[in-house]
Each structure stands twice: as structure tokens, then as C-alpha cells.
Amino acid sequence: MVASSLKLQELIQEIREAKTQAQEREVIQKECAHIRASFRDGDPLHSHRQLAKLLYAHMLGYPAHFGQMECLKLIASPRFTDKRVGYLGAMLLLDERQDAHLLITNSIKNDLSQGIEAVQGLALCTLSTMGSAEMCRDLAPEVEKLLLQPSAYVRKKAVLTAVHMIRKVPELSDIFLPPCAQLLHERHHGILLGTVTLITELCERSPAALKHFRKVVPQLVHTLRTLVMTGCSTEHSVSGVSDPFLQVQILRLLRILGRNHEESSETMNDLLAQVATNTDASRNAGSAVLFETVLTIMDIRSAAGLRVLAVNILGRFLLNSDRNIRYVALTSLLKLVQSDHSAVQRHRPTVVECLREPDASLSRRALELSLALVNSSNVRTMTQELQGFLESCPPDLRADCASGILLAAERFAPTKRWHIDTILRVLTTAGTYVRDDAVANLIQLIGGAQELHAYSVRRLYSALAEDISQQPLVQVAAWCIGEYGDLLLEGTCEETEPLQVEEDVVLALLERVLQSHMSLPATRGYALTALMKLSTRLHGDNNRICQVMSIYGSCQDVELQQRAVEYNALFRKYDHLRAAVLEKMPLVERGGPQVNEAAKESKEVAQLSEAAPVPTETQASKLLDLLDLLDGPSENAQHPPPLDPTPGDTLIHLLDLPCTPLPSAPIPNLKVFEREGLQLTLSFVRPPGTPTLLLITVTATNTSGGDVTHFICQVAVPKSFQLQLQAPSGDTVPAQGGLPMTQLLRILNPNKAPLRLKLRLTYDHFGQSVQEIFEVNNLPVETWQ
Amino acid sequence: MIKFFLMVNKQGQTRLSKYYEHVEINKRTLLETEVIKSCLSRSNEQCSFIEYKDFKLIYRQYAALFIVVGVNDTENEMAIYEFIHNFVEVLDDYFSRVSELDVSFFSAVSQVFHTSWQRTG
């Protein structure tokens, strides 16, 4: 056995000589077989060597669980070499998941009470590495005793073990709380460091401990001050800074103690300023301490001057040539930008510089920070920079950059034209990375800027002529060309160079988009509808367009096919309605389900009216009862239009777009009903864009002493009118002139016939239920002419 | 909190590894190869902190050996960076001019490692 067992060095030599993975595996397997045999036979003299080899194999990734029991045996042996390897093995092979780990608890206990420093050290080390919750609970008293041992080495290890125990079993904090205060007075830096860590852990886990330890803030301040002020002892100095690790740890603890606590923060203020000014930042160690100071200042309730100091330190970091320092500066500035916006603004040029970094983590941080720094005064320059960045940045940052630019443009755009230009530029550079609603937003924006129609359609046309691969751009351009094609052909526009565009060229371009394999189905839909709209806008004959429609009438894509068939129908059977159907779209408002539909083609406008009648569904049944009182049933717009809308309905529903009522020449209000203090008044509005539409607001006010409850108002109109009753604001009219109840009526009067209304009211008033029916014939002439 | 500590050479062989959270044995090799790949692809121009999945990697190159530490968000990256250097200095003192060969041969490196890394766990 002895002859074939290698020393660890030799084993390693063999493994290194193995040329392939398979050879290495062979060597290790052979050796493991030997080791297993040796464990079985129990060779006490060399078992530590075997275990060492096994541990090496384990580090390389080979299974080594059969060594666990051997670890236990070695730990129990009295020889130090055995113990050493045994504990090492325990640390590597045993963890909470193995059942065997509890077995070493006893050995550890014995070793801890032995009194030999090195052994105690080993035991503590192992305990702190792999101690499970049960082990910690069992051995906590032992460890606490060792905290007071005369030997500094043991005390240091005991403190570190205590840290681990607190992490595993927070309830043990009661045991470890009392010795902490005393340990803080230690001279030995190692123990001090361990104690500070221990206190940090205790404070993080229990608010009671946090309160308890606020008392030691002065002590910590004093310790840190001596560290900073006294010259560095060679024992603890790292590149000119005395024990930066201890400094950083104390600063972290001060941060936790000072958070949200005025008093402690005040005690720390001077010290933090002192540390910040005295630390030499030319080497990494000093920078680390400064960074931690900045983090602490940001977190506690510090004075304003201190915060400015912190931002300035970060600004200095940004100018440093070392990339690591710039990275941490950017990260912290990002956290600060919410609270100290103006202070961070001063460093904006440097941040923008960092955008040009070749390093991906730096440029990402710089991008986020730049986007956060955009405001109305610097939006033009910042967007310029960001667009430059967009052109050259790596693909994973493009989406963020593009949406960031679009968002900033939306919030701070100085003029509409600039806004449109910016979005256009983003679409041409990074079109495939923008979010889906960018198209809708842009369309809505262009639609709203009437004076810029000619300009935008020209820009978009030129962009499209160059490149039809960026889908969002193509979609917007197709829509614009369709809507404003006549402006494109006019040839005059002050804001861009004159562009002579022939009709055929425009049609050819749209056909190219339709046929291109790069176009998405949605894009094709846009192009098809644009072609259709151009049939009314352009003056040439429409044969070409008709041809396209008939071709696509048998397209594979169902959506395109449906559209083409409907447009064909428009050409053939309903040509007289074509102009009206395809006229320019009115401006749609943002927000609300109707709007997103309106941003697409006019075909879907027919389904728009679906949205409006929905709130009036409940009124439908009651209204139907009322209808037989009038001459013949009146049409309600509540029947949902058929799935294939006939053009007649299309026309009416097209005009039925919901829009906020705009005041035109005011029509006087009409009081139609009064009884026992309850009054009903009608106010009229004729929106200027739609000549046949009348909006009536019914207002119910109550000046009596009692509330009117369960108030329901129903209206009927003669046969040729269309009525929509929207939901009332409430069904209770409070007494003594309380908040009046309002209800909106929309009446369409295509024939301009005189308007009559029949109203039916039901409500409860003074404990009685009342029902009233009356006609209103004296409506002012302006309401229906 | 430190998640793991690795010493890997340029060919991807792990010389020392210590995990402070449990990671399966087979996942370890995967993690190590990915980490070393991202470290090797960095040039001298780039900074030593990488964002990898949900933690940060702080690495430092010494000749042909990379020391990589994975931490979560709460750590001061620069302090860890300094600490890596401190550790290498300790090894240097112990072996008097340490080299990769020493690290790969000497399993007592493990011991040195464990005692000095008890700082914050």
C-alpha cells in the first residue's frame, strides 16, 4: 500500500503531465481507487496524505464524498497534521446538506475547550465556514467564552465565527450583544474589524440591536478619526492609507447607524468631511475609502454642504483616467440624480464624454445617467449627443437608447418640427429597435401639426425612397403619403428643397413596399390603404390602383385580402361614396380605446362607433318601451354595425367620432321641467366640424329640502333622428342645491328636420316615487338647422 | 456579500475555487467557463467590474492568472478590488514570490485562503 501511494506533489505532477482530459480522468480514478482502499484498511500514518490527494481531486471537480468519514476520523486524532487536513476536508466536503456534518459537533466542542491556540483556531475556522444552524446553536456558548480569551488570535477567530453564527441563527444575537461594546476598545485591528462586522450584522437583522448600538457611534467616530489622522503604521498601511479595510467597514456601519437618525448623523458630519478631505485618492485604496464615504453621506441625514461635497468627489472621480473609478462614480451619480438633480447637472459634459467609452458597462451606465439628466434647457444638445451614440452603440443598448430619446423628445420638445425631425432620425437610425407604440405616437403627432403636413410628408417620402427596410419608418411614411399625397405632389414647400415628385413614382414606391419581402403584414396593410387613399388625392386615372386591388383580392394573407376586396367594392359598386369615405382623417386624441384604432386605417373607423354605444346598453331596454309612445320606432345607434359595413352606415358612423364638444356660437339654455324644487335644464352645443350633430347636456338641480334618488331620465326622438344617451353622472340629486346631475345626449339630424324631444323621468322624492312624461317642442331653431 | 471566489488561468483551468452559496458541481464548471470567457474578452482599456446575471464580477489579472470575485449589489467594488490585491500580497509573502505553479501545487493555499477570507464571508 505504501509503495503505490503517491505524495500529493507527485500526483499533481502526473495530472499536469496528462495530455488529454481522458488521461487525467484515468490518473485520478486510479488514485481514488487506492485512496478508497487505504481508507478501508485504515492506514493511520498516511491517511492525511490520502485525504489531501482526495481534496485536490475534489477541487478539480471529481466526486469525493467517500472521504467524509475519513475527515471525521482525522479530526478526532490527536496529531496536529491530521487535524489540519481533517478540518480542511470538513470545510470542503461537508456542508449542511450532508447528514454526517453533525457528527463533528462533538469533536469541535472538545477542540474548542482544549486551550491549544492553533487547534482552537482550526476548529473555529471550520465552524465559521460550514456550521449549520444546529451546530451553531449547540456551540454558541463555547464561542462566547472564547471571545474573552487572552489570546488575540483566538479572539479574532471567535469574533468571525460569531459573525457566521449570527447569519445562520439570528436569535443568537442575545448572546453576542453584550461583549461587543467591550471588544470595540481593542487595539488589534483584526479583532476590531471582526467586531465591526459583527455589529453590522446584528444591526441589520434586529432593530432593537440597532437602537442599542447607536450609543457606540461616538466610539466609532473616535476610532476612525485616529485612523485617519495619525500617520500610517507600516503594519496596517496599504499604499499610503492606514488600514483601508477597517475604515471602509466602520464607514459602512456608520451608514447603517445613521440612516434616518438625526442625532447620529450630526455626530458623523464632521468626521465624514474630515475623511473626505484627508484621504489621498491617487491610489485605489484611497479611492475605495472615498467611495464608501460618499455612499455613507448619501444615505444618512447629512448637511447640504456635505452632499455637495459628495457630488463633487464623484465629479472628480469621473475625470479620473482609471475606468474602475469612473464606473463607480457613474453608478452612484445615478442614485443621486433623483435627490440632488441640480448638483449632478454640473457634471453633465463629463457624463456625455463617458458615452464614448468602448467599455460596455461604462457606456450603459453613462446612457442611463444621460437620459436622467435631460431637461428642457439642454434637450437639443443632449439629443444630438444621444443620437450620435445611437449610431455607434452596441445592439443591446440600442433599444434603451432609442426609447430614451423618444421619451425625452416627448417630454421636452421645444417645437413640433424638432420633435418630428428627432423621431424621424431615430427611426432611420434604429428603426427596428423602437417600441411598438412609437409608430402610433408619431402618426398622432404629425396629424396634429397641421402646418407641418407638407414638410413631414416630403421628409418621409425621401426617407422611404432611400430605404424600405425599417418597418416603423415604412409604416409611418406609408400612412403619411396616403393622407397627404396631394401636398406631396404640389411641389412647393418653404422648409425643404423643392422636390418634384411624379404620381407614377409615388405609386411605384408604394407598390414596391407592398411587394417587398422585408415588409411585415402590418406594413403591407398600411401600404394598401395608402394606395387606396391616393385614388382620391391624385388626379390621374385610377386604373393602376384598381389593378393592385384586384390582384390583392386573392392574396394569401387574410387581412390583406379582406381589405383589397372591400376596396374593390368601393371602386365598383359604391364609387360615389369613395371620396367621402377616404377623406382626410380628423385629429384623434391620445388615450382611450378609440384612439388606437383611429391611428390605423379608415376601414376600422367603422368599428369605432362600437365603443361609444357601450355605456348606453342599459338604457336600451327602457328606451324600447318608450318608443311605442312616439310615431314609429326611432333608430338607435346601439345596434352594432354588421361585420361587413355597408357604405351607407360607414358614412354616418364615420361622422360619429366622439370628440370633446367645442363651444361654437352659444345657444341659450332651456329649462324644460320643474316640480317641487327639482329642475331640469337643457344646454346645447353644435360642434363646428360636424353639421348634423347636436350635443345636449341635461342638468338636474334640486333646491328643495329633500334628496332626489333613483333618478332616471329617458329621451325619445322622432323617426329620422339618431339618438345616443350616455351614462349619467349619478342617480342622486342632493338637496339644497347640491351637486347637479348631468347626462349627455348626442343627436344626429341628417335631414335637418325640426327637433322634438319626449322625456320621461322617474325618481323618488320626499318618500314618493314620481314618474313624469312630457314633450319638448320649443327647442331653439339653431339646434336643428 | 461575496458569492464566490475563483482563481482561473488563461486556459480556463481552475486553480482555486470557493463558493459561499451552494452551487451544484456540474453548474460550477459552467459558471467558471462563462466567467473566464467574459474576463478574457475584456481588453486593458475596460474596467474591472462586469455585470453578470444578477451579480457583479470583480476581476484582476496577474500574469496568466485571473482572480475573479462574484459579489452582490451591496459590496463596495473598490474595496474588493483592493482586497484581491491584499490576498495576492499575502501569498507572495508566504511563498516568497508566488507563481501559478505554487498555487496549483500547494493545497495549503486553501488554508491560507480560508483564514484570510473570513473578513466578511
Side-chain angles (χ1 to χ4, degrees), chain A residues 42 82 85 113 126 138 275 344 388 459 563 634 740:
Chain A
D82 289 347
V85 182
S113 41
T126 312
D138 288 336
V275 174
V344 184
R459 286 289 309 272
R563 288 180 194 213
S634 72

Side-chain angles (χ1 to χ4, degrees), chain A residues 250-262:
Chain A
I250 295 185
L251 282 168
R252 193 177 295 172
L253 179 56
L254 286 177
R255 181 157 89 231
I256 297 178
L257 290 176
R259 196 179 282 159
N260 286 335
H261 195 244
E262 280 295 335

Side-chain angles (χ1 to χ4, degrees), chain A residues 9 12 16 56 84 97 128-129 160 167 238 245 284-285 287-288 291-292 323-324 327 359 365, chain B residues 18 22 42 45-49 51 76-78 81-83 86 101 104-105 111 115 118 120:
Chain A
Q9 309 271 40
I12 299 178
R16 282 170 66 87
Y56 190 81
R84 195 175 70 157
R97 266 159 269 265
S128 69
T129 312
L160 293 171
R167 281 192 187 138
V238 177
F245 301 109
N284 188 52
S287 308
F291 180 49
E292 193 72 30
R323 274 167 191 82
N324 295 340
Y327 175 86
D359 182 323
R365 286 271 183 272
Chain B
K18 171 72 181 171
H22 184 71
R42 317 275 286 180
E45 301 291 307
Q46 298 178 305
C47 80
S48 309
F49 313 134
E51 272 141 45
N76 180 346
E77 295 96 335
M78 303 191 53
Y81 192 72
E82 196 58 36
F83 197 80
N86 196 348
L101 227 51
S104 56
F105 267 98
Q111 295 228 300
T115 43
Q118 273 187 311
T120 50

Side-chain angles (χ1 to χ4, degrees), chain A residues 666-704:
Chain A
I667 308 174
N669 291 357
L670 188 66
K671 184 159 101 166
V672 295
F673 172 74
E674 158 141 52
R675 178 180 155 156
E676 290 173 331
L678 174 68
Q679 290 174 358
L680 218 63
T681 318
L682 300 182
S683 54
F684 308 97
V685 176
R686 294 284 297 270
T690 45
T692 49
L693 180 64
L694 169 69
L695 300 170
I696 302 183
T697 310
V698 178
T699 313
T701 45
N702 182 3
T703 50
S704 72

Side-chain angles (χ1 to χ4, degrees), chain B residues 16-39:
Chain B
L16 180 68
S17 74
K18 171 72 181 171
Y19 289 85
Y20 289 93
E21 279 183 347
H22 184 71
V23 179
E24 310 285 332
I25 291 264
N26 43 0
K27 290 218 181 72
R28 287 185 190 191
T29 27
L30 190 63
L31 180 70
E32 281 154 30
T33 33
E34 275 183 27
V35 160
I36 195 67
K37 210 169 32 179
S38 35
C39 291

Side-chain angles (χ1 to χ4, degrees), chain A residues 110-326:
Chain A
N110 289 340
D111 284 335
L112 283 179
S113 41
Q114 258 187 28
I116 304 178
E117 265 185 32
V119 172
Q120 282 174 326
L122 276 181
L124 284 169
C125 208
T126 312
L127 185 55
S128 69
T129 312
M130 43 75 66
S132 69
E134 292 92 23
M135 286 171 67
C136 291
R137 273 197 209 102
D138 288 336
L139 295 167
E142 307 288 324
V143 174
E144 195 213 340
K145 259 189 290 177
L146 289 173
L147 279 175
L148 307 164
Q149 277 262 350
S151 150
Y153 174 78
V154 174
R155 262 180 299 158
K156 181 178 75 174
K157 294 230 181 270
V159 171
L160 293 171
T161 315
V163 171
H164 174 86
M165 285 183 162
I166 295 289
R167 281 192 187 138
K168 280 284 179 185
V169 187
E171 293 87 39
L172 291 173
S173 49
D174 309 322
I175 306 188
F176 292 115
L177 216 91
C180 287
Q182 189 191 356
L183 285 169
L184 268 182
H185 295 273
E186 291 279 346
R187 308 293 299 273
H188 189 266
H189 279 213
I191 303 183
L192 207 46
L193 188 54
T195 316
V196 173
T197 316
L198 179 60
I199 300 179
T200 315
E201 286 291 327
L202 285 170
C203 292
E204 272 173 7
R205 274 156 225 277
S206 120
L210 186 63
K211 255 198 291 249
H212 173 100
F213 281 115
R214 291 228 166 90
K215 287 181 286 180
V216 304
V217 169
Q219 170 72 22
L220 290 168
V221 166
H222 175 77
T223 319
L224 191 51
R225 187 168 278 143
T226 35
L227 266 182
V228 172
M229 298 312 290
T230 56
C232 28
S233 64
T234 43
E235 187 187 327
H236 294 296
S237 92
V238 177
S239 49
V241 182
S242 53
D243 205 346
F245 301 109
L246 182 58
Q247 288 193 31
V248 163
Q249 203 69 4
I250 295 185
L251 282 168
R252 193 177 295 172
L253 179 56
L254 286 177
R255 181 157 89 231
I256 297 178
L257 290 176
R259 196 179 282 159
N260 286 335
H261 195 244
E262 280 295 335
E263 215 186 290
S264 323
S265 313
E266 262 174 86
T267 4
M268 293 182 226
N269 276 334
D270 291 333
L271 170 70
L272 290 171
Q274 211 171 14
V275 174
T277 36
N278 280 8
T279 313
D280 167 29
S282 55
R283 309 291 298 276
N284 188 52
S287 308
V289 174
L290 271 183
F291 180 49
E292 193 72 30
T293 319
V294 168
L295 288 178
T296 307
I297 295 178
M298 275 166 29
D299 239 357
I300 64 173
R301 297 261 180 90
S302 45
L306 213 49
R307 291 182 91 91
V308 171
L309 179 63
V311 175
N312 287 346
I313 293 179
L314 289 177
R316 263 203 338 255
F317 275 2
L318 268 183
L319 296 164
N320 199 310
S321 51
D322 183 356
R323 274 167 191 82
N324 295 340
I325 298 184
R326 270 200 267 187

Side-chain angles (χ1 to χ4, degrees), chain A residues 12 25 70 129 194 266 273 276 283 390 427 468 544 552 558 636 673 683 732:
Chain A
I12 299 178
R25 253 201 308 264
E70 196 61 24
T129 312
E266 262 174 86
R283 309 291 298 276
L390 186 62
L427 283 182
I468 59 169
R544 197 165 167 177
Y552 274 85
V558 179
N636 342 22
F673 172 74
S683 54
T732 303

